[in-house]
Amino acid sequence: LISRDGKKYQIADSAAPIKDKEGKIGGVILVFSDVTESYAAQKQIKESETKYRSIFQNSPSGIIILDENGIICEANAAISKTSGYSIEELSGSDVRKLTVPENVFIVDQNIARILSGELLEQEVISCRKDGSHSILLLRETAITLPDGKPGILSISSDITGQKRANDLLRESEEKYRFLAEN
């Protein structure tokens, strides 16, 4: 609806029949409500959700959202690529499947620490679907999930290649030092 002064309004309407004593309809009551602000807020929320989804899905960092028990609520394409699991395989599964067996107990400790308000930044060895391992740099923090329950946001970078390159460089330096000393 556009007013005489050119201002645009979003209007919601409803109608109810007016009946006489015998039940015959004698007229209609029309109610109009200005929902311009509500409509604008809903539009802003939708735009914000669209931006969030785009950032989440297209981030080069792996992103996982966990519930308070370590169950994966959401995962993005980058973590799917790093882990070898599809997004569908990750969603609803236990994050512990991405951990080498000897470190599973640490996951429980870290979940408790994060949910108590601690921000964790650490390197971890992650287990891929094919059984191989990668080294991830994790940054994890507590969040509130849409249902109001506590959750965890885990952002990861695969640093496996960087670690291997550093190891090769260190080995090369050691060989050079050995040759130079002898």
Side-chain angles (χ1 to χ4, degrees):
L1 178 68
I2 300 176
S3 67
R4 287 183 183 155
D5 64 358
K7 189 173 179 182
K8 294 181 181 182
Y9 292 91
Q10 295 292 325
I11 302 295
D13 61 5
S14 58
I18 301 174
K19 297 182 181 181
D20 62 19
K21 292 180 183 179
E22 291 140 13
K24 292 182 184 176
I25 297 175
V28 177
I29 295 177
L30 294 173
V31 178
F32 294 94
S33 301
D34 180 358
V35 294
T36 306
E37 287 181 25
S38 174
Y39 179 80
Q42 288 175 357
K43 184 178 176 186
Q44 190 174 20
I45 289 169
K46 187 175 181 180
E47 289 171 357
S48 178
E49 174 68 15
T50 300
K51 287 178 190 175
Y52 159 78
R53 282 273 149 227
S54 179
I55 292 167
F56 183 85
Q57 289 302 332
N58 296 306
S59 173
S61 296
I63 304 173
I64 296 177
I65 297 174
L66 307 167
D67 72 9
E68 61 191 327
N69 299 308
I71 303 302
I72 299 171
C73 302
E74 293 186 65
N76 73 349
I79 196 67
S80 174
K81 182 179 178 184
T82 299
S83 69
Y85 290 98
S86 70
I87 292 173
E88 294 76 20
E89 289 173 311
L90 290 168
S91 296
S93 67
D94 194 313
V95 73
R96 292 161 188 85
K97 79 184 205 176
L98 300 175
T99 305
V100 292
E102 57 270 20
N103 291 342
V104 169
F105 74 96
I106 295 173
V107 173
D108 295 322
Q109 293 171 355
N110 287 345
I111 288 173
R113 290 171 60 194
I114 295 163
L115 292 176
S116 73
E118 191 174 336
L119 172 68
L120 288 187
E121 292 182 334
Q122 60 185 334
E123 288 181 15
V124 299
I125 299 173
S126 181
C127 192
R128 294 183 176 131
K129 183 177 180 179
D130 65 7
S132 64
H133 296 131
S134 58
I135 302 170
L136 301 179
L137 180 60
L138 292 182
R139 180 179 175 96
E140 299 174 298
T141 190
I143 60 170
T144 301
L145 297 174
D147 63 4
K149 293 182 180 176
I152 296 172
L153 173 64
S154 178
I155 301 174
S156 63
S157 298
D158 187 345
I159 58 171
T160 308
Q162 181 182 352
K163 285 291 197 177
R164 287 186 181 140
N166 287 345
D167 290 344
L168 289 172
L169 181 60
R170 193 174 348 348
E171 289 173 16
S172 177
E173 286 175 349
E174 288 173 8
K175 286 179 186 176
Y176 176 76
R177 228 179 268 125
F178 176 78
L179 292 173
E181 291 172 0
N182 293 322

